[in-house]
């Protein structure tokens, strides 16, 4: 009887002690991870919104471009270092905020942070992390930001920001693209729900989202409009938040140039082009297209990060050539955690960095600063996806 | 022996008493419906014309556009209400005319009408409904229109209209795109024929189509041209009908701008872009393309409805952004009926409305009136399908 | 032992006595034909050149266009009749020259001719027919042309023409697109060779192709250039042939506008756009593209026929709208023969004609003359194939 | 135990004594070769970089163009001869440099050379050939060039060139597109390593690549940039090499017009457009696109060769029409070797030449010189791949 309740859990194997020799790409990591994730957790992590069209487009978008191979360029002094909002990073791969990482590995976000630190990279911790924020911050030694959802209550928002500042985060990433949950059919069909026991949000003092008691809706009212969207932040809330926040604010989930400009005008210090990993709006613009058009319309010194479907060093090269300052990597960190914990995440970052270095060498670009729009070539066919 | 005659029927299960938990989208409803429809009925309902190219295009056309996601828009006063030819509707999903609904469920069109009423939506009753018209009209409490086929006999046409007016329908939808039946190969291969016992058309007084005795054709004559098309209405018949009809007339199956203008000039009060659910002409223009070009050429106050392949709230959002006033939903109502009767149809409408509300929230559009062409973005690739 | 020699034959079933009820399209006929053709014969009939890319393109090309559906047009006086080089035809489907039809059915080309006559259509008899030409001519009562290959020997060519004239053919179709055989890998892999016993070419007096003794090639010479192409006709041969031929000459296999103009200048009375059923050059221009550009460049009164992948009445409608006077149908006649002999071919022609009539009615075109370029609509996507 | 070490080897069959009758295309050769290559060797030979996107594009690129079929052209004096850097060749198929051919057949590069000589074609011997260079040179009697990798050590480079000159090679092909190895995931997953016993590089005096002892990298240094790219040649090294090299130098792996011009300015006598068989940069520009744009920007008398995915005579025709002087054929020579040794390679070259002759005849081009850009037609759809 007890076993039946744990069916999902018992199907997943424990993380590996060592990385298999034939794990040589992020696709391999994803493939291996299927043995270490229960079907329900897999639906939660890997699923997207509705028909998952934009989930597929996120992956395909990087094929929009060819990379111009150049010969005989001197790359002997090459490196992948950069500075991002005052933080030095060894490479441009930043770990995207991914919630509930203990679903993939008991060490959760702390293991991820250890790997990020070991590889000289940055990490954005999810508001809905399973680990205690301060433990995660302690484990990192580079860029460490906290991702937050705002509500329509300005005071609650600022309280969150103050907790984050006290905990040691260097900046806040405000997710704007999910004021309501996407219609995640794969997850709903699986029946999976995040177990309460693994959710330690309350320990971080930010769990008002879960605690909210559903109000009684007036007849003819809409749960979406009159409840969820009424509780969601609007431009006024965001303006107040940016104005009073003790930390720099980065806006995540931006795809329209008008929104981008308005957020910068409010004081946001960087923007992240993202469609929430294909989990919110199935018809959403691809992040690469959003990046390209926002890069054209904004001042060139605003850092832009891009998130979605990055699985190769060459994907990051294309993002940088299209105007990104750095790139986010989401699901692969959970796949890596599930396969081999902190060692898995470190291997994943190592593969990406090696691939980026090889790509840069073949493109004749010794530094990130030398990567620009002349390094890629948009074919007529592939451009159509963007 | 008796069993053999009922082979098709015995394969289909009875409708469910409750909606399964993993039924979360219209695709799920279609999937479930396969257990509740015999192969013959399935070929009749789901089949299209010839190679079913346009059946597939109907579904794919909605992928022609990306939706512009906007952040921080205030949607707290949002709603999906609209007025259509003087009728108030809670949402823009109108049930398309679908014939012989008792093939899917013994309660037939009455069950569908109950669901439409429960969800605050409109319904267009097929001329070839299995239920008695007045029973269906009684079950609705919103928009309820009757769909008709005209013939070349003006008096017969007007008699139909008068019956419809007396029965309580508020308008007539004249289907113009099927003067001859499409070459529905899937149906023909199945051998399925609509059983006489389920066809109660005669009870509604409109069954001259079935009663017509085939005339003897002259040698060298064509069944298509000299019989079927001779019995079909032409511009003169239509003009007379619109002029004398006691109810407003809506033309269904229009795709060419010249036809659209001429119908409006005759007095039609709304038009429906449709290719008859992909059942008539396999090379037909997609309804979305027809909508886009007709919207450009007609006066902006003419209501335009669009029909074909709508399976998501986001599809409806795109239709509205492209100029539609409301959208029609066809096959999914029969799938829903087959799965769980009126409760199934209600669930289907609920899913569509929820998806539309979420999409509107993510696009920053609190009302249908705020949805316009700047809310969507046509990619080079996807535009090609249209 | 004897059985082993007949392996291919014993796998194929005898033709059917009646048409199955679920045979409702040319695709169904092709599907059924697989039971009545041995693998070797199937490779011979259905195979194309090399990777069969152009075989697939031939079928897909008709999807380049949408057909404009029009409503309420009066088609009561509609018909599909036309006149082609002075011959009256009931419909525009002409049977393309297909060799060795006794491989498909013992009655061979005579059965095909009977079906053509019964349905009021034309037939082009292959030079390499299995039946005696005069038997085929006798069985037809409409347009009946002979297809010929020319050689570099002007006298031999004229002798052929004179035999054809005496036999009763009304015109000659000279195939120009196969001076050498295409690299038909599927056929070569099958090992199939046309059996001598079924080849009655010698009875028709035109078998010099088979009788030619291979010459001894000089060292360093090429079989293709110095033997095959040396034996092939050139512009001078063709000019002489057209000049002295006692019958009208139609050129088949033309795709370049310059060649088309030059052939008309020589006196050819019609042209056939064809890539030899995808059997010669895998990279060949699609016949529909060739038709479109040649129609633009030639005088409008030159009849143009198009051949390749026509499997639906709507395909023919598109061809006519793009400028064709009539269309050729090749492989389906052999499939039909294999399934049910003359009755099969007649059914195939009946299906095509019915489909064309329905398409014309839906497009509001009562006659072939009313079909023009405004009746079709070339989408951006589909145009790319052409 | 011994058997287990040889698992890979024991799965592969010995080469055939005669060519099977159903081997009629290069695709057939590849298919047959799977029986004669162990999985590890197959991964080494057939694998590409990363996701093998560019491996697939290499094959698809030739479908970018239609070939204009012309009728009645006189090709009786046709031939495929050409002169390349002073060497007479019977046809334009040059064997690309492919390393370690003894993995496919014990006779290795000598067998390949014998086949090239028998068919009147050229061969480029890989620096990493398994056979002794002089044995290979002796076996050829046409164009025989040596492919080399340069290092950053100018003296070492020149020593190589002098050895090559003494051995009898007529020119040197310097590979520029692989200063670092591509990320060949398929190979890495297979675990295959080139066996030392089959590698006779040391016998040729050019094995410094293998002998290099890895240096100790400073902390924070990159293996890619500070070790591999530091050991790679740059523009200065290349200039010195071309200036002092006793043989003509051809640059291989060029895709950018600026690089092409600069190499010609340095004194390179020909260029090869190649992406290293899809083994280096998965996002690389297709060789056909590179050819097209470099042909436009360079002086017309610079010979350009193209390499990548050529499997049909028609592919070569398209390459020549797009501006190539000759084409390289890579993997098929190893497949052929594995199937039937020298006889296999000869058959492969024979098939290609026959296909090219047929294509030329159908396009009305009796000589390579008559093939030009008007002979091909780039469709909107297909152009998009380039």
């Amino acid at each position: 009887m007890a076993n039946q309740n744990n069916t999902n859990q018992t199907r997943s194997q424990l993380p590996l002690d060592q990385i298999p020799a034939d794990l040589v790409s992020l696709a391999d990591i994803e493939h291996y991870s299927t043995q270490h994730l229960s079907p329900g957790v897999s639906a939660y992590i890997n699923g997207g919104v509705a028909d998952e069209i934009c989930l597929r487009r996120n992956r395909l978008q990087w094929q929009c471009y060819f990379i111009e191979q150049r010969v005989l360029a001197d790359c002997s002094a090459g490196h992948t270092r950069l500075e991002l909002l005052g933080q030095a990073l060894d490479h441009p791969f930043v770990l995207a905020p991914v919630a509930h990482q203990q679903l993939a590995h008991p060490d959760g976000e702390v293991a991820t942070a250890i790997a990020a630190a070991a590889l000289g990279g940055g990490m954005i911790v999810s508001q809905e992390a399973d680990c205690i924020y301060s433990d995660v911050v302690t484990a990192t030694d580079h860029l460490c930001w906290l991702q937050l959802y705002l509500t329509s209550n300005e005071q609650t928002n600022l309280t969150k920001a103050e907790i984050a500042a006290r905990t040691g985060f260097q900046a806040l990433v405000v997710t704007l693209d999910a004021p309501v949950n996407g219609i995640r059919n794969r997850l709903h069909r699986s029946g999976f729900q995040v177990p309460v026991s693994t959710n330690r949000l309350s320990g971080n003092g930010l769990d008002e989202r879960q605690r909210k008691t559903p109000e009684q809706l007036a007849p003819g009212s809409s749960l979406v409009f009159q409840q969820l969207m009424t509780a969601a932040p609007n431009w006024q809330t965001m303006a107040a938040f940016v104005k009073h926040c003790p930390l720099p604010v980065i806006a995540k989930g931006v795809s329209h140039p008008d929104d981008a400009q308005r957020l910068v005008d409010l004081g946001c210090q960087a923007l992240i082009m993202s469609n929430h990993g294909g989990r919110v709006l199935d018809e959403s613009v691809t992040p690469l297209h959003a990046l390209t058009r926002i890069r054209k319309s904004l001042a060139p010194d605003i850092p832009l990060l891009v998130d979605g479907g990055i699985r190769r060093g060459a994907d990051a090269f294309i993002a940088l050539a299209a105007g990104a300052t750095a790139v986010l990597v989401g699901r692969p960190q959970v796949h890596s955690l599930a396969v081999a914990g902190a060692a898995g995440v470190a291997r994943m970052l190592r593969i990406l960095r090696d691939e980026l270095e090889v790509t840069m060498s073949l493109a004749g670009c010794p530094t990130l600063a030398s990567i620009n729009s002349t390094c890629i070539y948009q074919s007529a066919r592939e451009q159509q996806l963007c």
Side-chain angles (χ1 to χ4, degrees), chain A:
Chain A
M1 289 289 278
N3 276 347
Q4 285 185 330
N5 289 333
N6 288 318
T7 302
N8 274 352
Q9 269 65 32
T10 54
R11 284 194 219 160
S12 63
Q13 303 174 3
L14 292 179
L16 300 172
D17 289 331
Q18 60 179 54
I19 312 286
D22 62 353
L23 184 161
V24 296
S25 72
L26 271 59
D28 297 331
I29 296 175
E30 180 170 1
H31 182 70
Y32 265 98
S33 75
T34 59
Q35 306 174 8
H36 303 276
L37 296 170
S38 70
V41 172
S42 177
Y44 170 71
I45 291 171
N46 293 315
V49 63
D51 299 311
E52 302 189 344
I53 295 167
C54 91
L55 195 62
R56 290 189 289 276
R57 281 177 177 156
N58 274 4
R59 188 67 197 89
L60 289 172
Q61 66 182 331
W62 306 108
Q63 295 183 27
C64 287
Y65 289 93
F66 293 105
I67 295 176
E68 292 285 5
Q69 187 163 358
R70 302 304 297 264
V71 300
L72 295 167
D74 190 337
C75 293
S76 60
H79 67 86
T80 60
R81 292 187 294 273
L82 74 156
E83 196 183 280
L84 183 58
L85 294 190
Q87 301 282 321
L89 292 172
D90 286 355
H91 57 77
F93 297 100
V94 175
L95 296 172
V98 178
H100 301 305
Q101 300 195 359
Q102 286 187 340
L103 291 173
H105 192 282
D107 295 344
E109 292 83 4
V110 169
T112 306
I114 290 168
L119 269 290
M123 176 174 182
I124 306 175
V125 180
S126 167
Q127 166 182 302
E128 310 201 20
D130 286 331
C131 294
I132 300 298
Y133 292 161
S134 56
D135 294 345
V136 184
V137 172
T138 303
T140 61
D141 63 356
H142 288 74
L143 181 155
C144 189
W145 299 340
L146 180 66
Q147 173 269 337
L148 288 181
Y149 291 101
L150 300 189
T151 72
S152 54
N153 184 322
E154 294 184 11
Q155 186 51 51
T156 306
N157 295 338
L158 277 183
T159 302
K160 282 184 180 182
E162 283 152 13
I163 293 173
R166 280 199 304 273
T167 309
F169 291 106
Q170 304 135 5
L172 293 179
V173 173
V174 177
T175 298
L176 299 177
D177 59 7
V180 294
N181 282 327
I183 309 279
R184 287 165 59 191
N185 289 158
R186 197 205 299 193
L187 176 62
H188 299 157
R189 288 184 198 114
S190 78
F192 179 79
Q193 303 230 350
V194 177
V196 174
S197 63
T198 67
N199 189 328
R200 303 184 187 172
L201 244 195
S202 57
N204 288 315
L206 300 180
D207 53 344
E208 81 287 348
R209 258 200 162 201
Q210 278 65 26
R211 283 181 315 206
K212 185 184 286 284
T213 313
E215 299 171 32
Q216 190 73 29
L217 280 171
S221 291
S222 149
L223 173 72
V224 171
F225 292 122
Q226 275 72 54
Q227 182 164 319
L228 300 175
M229 290 305 290
T230 298
N234 59 23
W235 281 105
Q236 184 181 331
T237 335
M238 183 67 175
F241 182 75
V242 178
K243 186 174 179 186
H244 299 295
C245 181
L247 292 176
V249 175
I250 297 130
K252 178 165 181 282
V254 190
S255 66
H256 197 285
D258 292 351
D259 288 345
Q261 185 64 56
R262 194 165 172 186
L263 288 161
V264 168
D265 292 344
L266 286 188
C268 290
Q269 303 210 359
L271 304 178
I272 302 177
M273 275 77 253
S274 169
N275 56 15
H276 213 108
R279 292 159 92 88
V280 171
L281 180 63
D282 212 12
E283 297 73 20
S284 60
V285 171
T286 62
L288 179 54
H289 179 71
L291 167 66
T292 305
R293 64 187 191 180
I294 289 178
R295 182 76 288 168
K296 281 182 194 153
S297 71
L298 282 193
D301 61 326
I302 307 292
L304 297 181
L305 286 76
V306 70
D307 169 53
I310 294 208
R311 298 290 180 274
R312 288 282 181 188
D315 299 342
F317 183 94
I318 289 167
L320 295 168
T325 310
V327 301
L328 267 55
V329 178
R331 289 182 180 86
Q333 59 183 295
V334 195
H335 299 152
S336 305
L337 266 185
V339 172
V345 179
R347 172 64 65 97
M348 183 269 288
L349 287 168
R350 183 76 247 171
I351 289 172
L352 286 174
R353 182 176 165 176
D354 285 348
E355 289 180 347
L356 176 60
E357 289 186 356
V358 167
T359 303
M360 290 168 66
S361 297
L362 295 170
C365 294
T367 62
L368 301 189
S370 66
I371 303 174
N372 60 46
S373 64
T374 68
C375 300
I376 53 177
Y377 164 74
Q378 189 169 20
S379 76
R381 180 197 195 91
E382 311 298 352
Q383 130 185 39
Q384 300 176 333
L385 191 69
C386 299

